[in-house]
Amino acid sequence: MANGAEYMRRELMIRLVRAFDDGTLEQELDQIPIKLRPKDGNSSRCCIYHDRAVLKYRLMALLGFSCEEEKDEARSLASYKQEADQRKSIEKKPVLTVCSAGCSGCPDSKFMVTENCRGCFARPCTFNCPVSAVSMIGQTSHIDQSKCIKCGKCMQVCPFHAIVKTSVPCEEACPVGAIRKNEHGRAEIDFEKCVFCGKCFAACPFSAIMEKSQILDVLNQLKKRESKVVAMIAPSAYSQFPGTIEQLFTAIKQLGFDDVMEVALGAELTTAHEAREFQEKMAAGQKLMTTSCCTAYVNLVHRHLPDFAKYVSSTPSPMKYAAELVRKESPDAITVFIGPCIAKRMEALYTDLVDYVLTFEELGAILAGRKIDIMTQEAWKLTHPADELARNYAHSCGVSDAVLADLMKDQPDFKLNSKFINGIDKKTLMQLKLFASGKIPVNFLEVMACNGGCINGPCSLTKN
Amino acid sequence: MKKITLEICCGTTCYMLGTQKLLQIENIMPEEWKNCVAVSAIPCLNNCTSENICGAPFVRINGEIMSHASVESIFNRIRELLPGEGEE
């Protein structure tokens, strides 16, 4: 756990699970903000009332509602819960929501001179500024904001580290410029541009960008038990929880899931198909093929670089293959993908194969809510453990390694000319264009939206 | 001297709310403490009742439960328990 925002998010989830199990959620929901911020107690923002308002919106998102769609400010959380209980499936709508009340409306990014400035004789700041925006006023350097082009040269050359950059963390983190300020100066996501990588969610120090959770939907499904509910665990789970993966599976089974499966089994199929597709495409004269398992990356291509889409592999993701395996055995099964990813929630909305997506945070909260200790569980007997290469999909380079190993089965001396984009950022679109130009000798490109791969996903518990 | 025991609760609630960070405490501990403090990860201590979730993460030092445990609060307690130790 890295910060107070995460603590609050997880604490609320655990409270929600406990109240759900006690059957008191509806009565308790509207009390939670007051209970957590009682009068005369401490507040994290200007006052307890502001804190309570933000907590209410957090709970709203936890119940699966978007703050932007709020019509009646006076509507109780209990009434939202009633609506959520009636929900049969998840609406095809963006899975992120911004809590305006929580957004601090950070001032626009700029370069500023701090009191570290010694008004030195050399004055590299004034000499290196390409637009003459830096001048000396008295014995201190000064930046004319109307001229500044935010190149950062002055900051780099100052020997006293006297120039700092203030930033808007969400805007800075967004690789595609999908965040802008609304007329009240609060952050707003442009969902036409958003690729759901979750970088803004992870970056906001006020935790104002939230996910619309499906935790209540899954809890309801597990309680109703109308059909078989199967948990599909992403390969990134192996380093996330205390205890072994086999113990984690037993713990998940105890939550009421009828079966637990490794998504790595789906990854094995992705590898085999992707290797074959690669051979076919190269034989047909295509120069480059990229991976397709990272949904945020695929979204990025479709929304921002449609011409590049022809290079993206058409092989379905491990999640889809895993869900297919489940449905082959039990066609009516309710499938719940559990992973560290926000973009997967979007992918699941547009396939019938996956019904719900939970994050590791939500899974942890359900286990914590029910006081299920992973370390003390018996080991689950995996009938067909996935191979190590498939389990390694969650690490950057994992997909390439698996595909290469598959290709080498037939041709032991096969050489893959591969490159990696390990974590997408504002430069990624440029990089992709460069790869498309054919100037870089590469035929296999692996792209992971998160630095280091899925193990560092926005909703992972342990960041590496 | 008998070693000071530091037991870190790895129940799921504590793990979610901070002990995963505390598990690395041995690596950041002053070198000279390493022979006097025995660190172990233990299953749920059952302190995370519904009223008390926000007390997590919990640790147990020489049998005494500490709530809201942080590296700093654990270090302070160890300092108090080490005989004849001043600042360091």
Side-chain angles (χ1 to χ4, degrees):
Chain A
M1 209 215 26
N3 60 51
E6 268 177 15
Y7 192 102
M8 179 54 85
R9 196 163 70 221
R10 293 178 188 177
E11 186 189 333
L12 284 178
M13 283 180 194
I14 298 172
R15 281 181 186 275
L16 181 131
V17 173
R18 293 211 175 148
F20 178 90
D21 288 345
D22 294 344
T24 55
L25 183 58
E26 206 167 307
Q27 299 94 286
E28 271 185 55
L29 266 171
D30 289 283
Q31 306 295 322
I32 292 176
I34 298 160
K35 218 170 170 177
L36 291 182
R37 288 293 181 267
K39 74 175 172 195
D40 306 326
N42 294 330
S43 64
S44 329
R45 292 180 174 75
C46 59
C47 61
I48 55 164
Y49 308 103
H50 191 173
D51 279 357
R52 286 181 190 172
V54 177
L55 283 168
K56 183 194 163 179
Y57 287 113
R58 280 197 197 301
L59 288 163
M60 220 173 118
L62 259 185
L63 296 173
F65 293 91
S66 109
C67 304
E68 289 90 342
E69 285 177 15
E70 180 188 50
K71 287 188 189 78
D72 176 10
E73 274 192 73
R75 186 174 173 190
S76 67
L77 289 166
S79 134
Y80 280 113
K81 194 231 162 215
Q82 287 163 0
E83 189 186 327
D85 284 342
Q86 301 305 318
R87 207 157 44 204
K88 294 273 185 299
S89 61
I90 308 295
E91 267 186 305
K92 285 190 176 50
K93 280 188 174 169
V95 293
L96 287 169
T97 173
V98 184
C99 169
S100 251
C103 175
S104 157
C106 303
D108 284 342
S109 167
K110 66 174 177 185
F111 287 86
M112 280 179 0
V113 182
T114 65
E115 58 185 18
N116 277 1
C117 176
R118 304 200 28 88
C120 65
F121 177 66
R123 296 179 186 172
C125 52
T126 59
F127 279 86
N128 285 282
C129 178
V131 292
S132 308
V134 190
S135 58
M136 297 300 289
I137 297 183
Q139 278 305 300
T140 315
S141 127
H142 175 82
I143 300 171
D144 182 344
Q145 298 298 336
S146 64
K147 287 188 189 164
C148 176
I149 54 165
K150 297 178 185 152
C151 66
K153 287 224 169 66
C154 55
M155 184 171 83
Q156 286 161 16
V157 295
C158 175
F160 299 106
H161 304 287
I163 297 174
V164 293
K165 185 188 179 196
T166 63
S167 62
V168 184
C170 57
E171 287 178 14
E172 190 118 329
C174 180
V176 292
I179 299 193
R180 55 176 181 224
K181 297 244 177 73
N182 65 14
E183 68 270 31
H184 307 293
R186 310 277 180 233
E188 206 173 66
I189 302 173
D190 179 347
F191 288 117
E192 299 287 307
K193 288 186 181 168
C194 178
V195 298
F196 299 96
C197 63
K199 291 190 191 285
C200 56
F201 164 88
C204 175
F206 289 87
S207 196
I209 296 170
M210 307 179 297
E211 283 187 284
K212 280 158 64 184
S213 175
Q214 300 172 13
I215 195 166
L216 191 65
D217 303 76
V218 174
L219 288 173
N220 273 329
Q221 289 293 355
L222 291 174
K223 196 174 161 189
K224 280 192 280 186
R225 307 191 63 85
E226 279 164 355
S227 34
K228 197 173 166 184
V229 188
V230 181
M232 306 187 296
I233 313 301
S236 39
Y238 302 90
S239 56
Q240 289 286 313
F241 291 92
T244 64
I245 194 74
E246 287 83 2
Q247 287 176 312
L248 176 66
F249 277 31
T250 310
I252 294 171
K253 186 85 189 340
Q254 286 205 35
L255 296 177
F257 285 97
D258 295 280
D259 204 355
V260 191
M261 81 160 319
E262 290 185 82
V263 171
L265 294 174
E268 290 179 2
L269 297 170
T270 301
T271 304
H273 282 83
E274 206 151 286
R276 209 163 309 142
E277 187 186 354
F278 179 76
Q279 281 173 321
E280 284 166 11
K281 288 203 163 153
M282 291 302 121
Q286 187 170 314
K287 284 175 296 192
L288 171 71
M289 189 180 96
T290 84
T291 53
S292 62
C293 49
C294 173
T295 316
Y297 158 64
V298 176
N299 290 344
L300 177 95
V301 171
H302 285 294
R303 297 197 167 182
H304 298 275
L305 206 58
D307 289 348
F308 196 78
K310 58 178 179 281
Y311 299 117
V312 180
S313 152
S314 60
T315 301
S317 68
M319 174 174 87
K320 282 188 185 144
Y321 276 124
E324 247 172 43
L325 290 173
V326 173
R327 287 278 168 81
K328 209 178 277 171
E329 216 173 276
S330 23
D332 300 326
I334 292 169
T335 48
V336 183
F337 174 83
I338 305 178
C341 183
I342 291 176
K344 283 284 166 203
R345 283 204 208 265
M346 286 310 279
E347 186 184 334
L349 284 186
Y350 293 92
T351 166
D352 292 333
L353 290 166
V354 182
D355 295 301
Y356 300 103
V357 175
L358 286 185
T359 63
F360 289 143
E361 263 192 347
E362 289 164 334
L363 171 63
I366 304 177
L367 290 169
R370 301 206 168 150
K371 292 172 105 9
I372 295 174
D373 209 355
I374 304 165
M375 272 169 76
T376 54
Q377 300 297 319
E378 302 259 323
W380 172 270
K381 294 241 168 15
L382 292 168
T383 40
H384 172 52
D387 75 48
E388 279 310 310
L389 283 164
R391 287 184 175 180
N392 206 30
Y393 253 58
H395 295 78
S396 195
C397 311
V399 187
S400 314
D401 288 348
V403 169
L404 179 61
D406 194 273
L407 290 165
M408 281 168 68
K409 275 187 212 157
D410 301 329
Q411 296 167 262
D413 55 346
F414 189 89
K415 290 247 178 340
L416 198 61
N417 206 347
S418 60
K419 283 259 186 316
F420 314 98
I421 292 183
N422 181 13
I424 57 172
D425 56 29
K426 291 187 196 299
K427 292 183 196 127
T428 304
L429 283 174
M430 289 280 289
Q431 278 173 299
L432 291 178
K433 281 179 197 159
L434 201 62
F435 283 120
S437 73
K439 283 177 193 146
I440 301 171
V442 52
N443 54 15
F444 191 84
L445 178 67
E446 178 186 306
V447 189
M448 290 283 197
C450 296
N451 202 334
C454 311
I455 46 162
N456 286 326
C459 307
S460 60
L461 292 176
T462 319
K463 304 270 194 285
N464 289 285
Chain B
M1 188 198 114
K2 216 173 136 241
K3 275 192 174 185
I4 296 170
T5 57
L6 165 60
E7 295 164 296
I8 299 172
C9 177
C10 277
T12 316
T13 308
C14 284
Y15 187 79
M16 289 278 293
L17 296 177
T19 47
Q20 53 168 311
K21 196 176 153 203
L22 299 180
L23 289 171
Q24 287 148 28
I25 199 161
E26 248 182 318
N27 304 330
I28 47 174
M29 211 176 252
E31 208 50 45
E32 60 272 26
W33 287 8
K34 289 191 178 159
N35 288 324
C36 346
V37 184
V39 184
S40 56
I42 54 163
C44 183
L45 284 165
N46 269 318
N47 282 299
C48 46
T49 55
S50 290
E51 299 71 47
N52 211 11
I53 299 170
C54 46
F58 293 96
V59 297
R60 193 160 59 184
I61 305 179
N62 276 358
E64 197 181 291
I65 301 280
M66 176 193 272
S67 60
H68 298 289
S70 65
V71 171
E72 195 192 356
S73 64
I74 293 171
F75 276 13
N76 285 341
R77 185 66 192 131
I78 292 175
R79 241 174 240 133
E80 285 169 19
L81 291 169
L82 284 172
E85 286 271 339
E87 266 298 284
E88 243 347 320

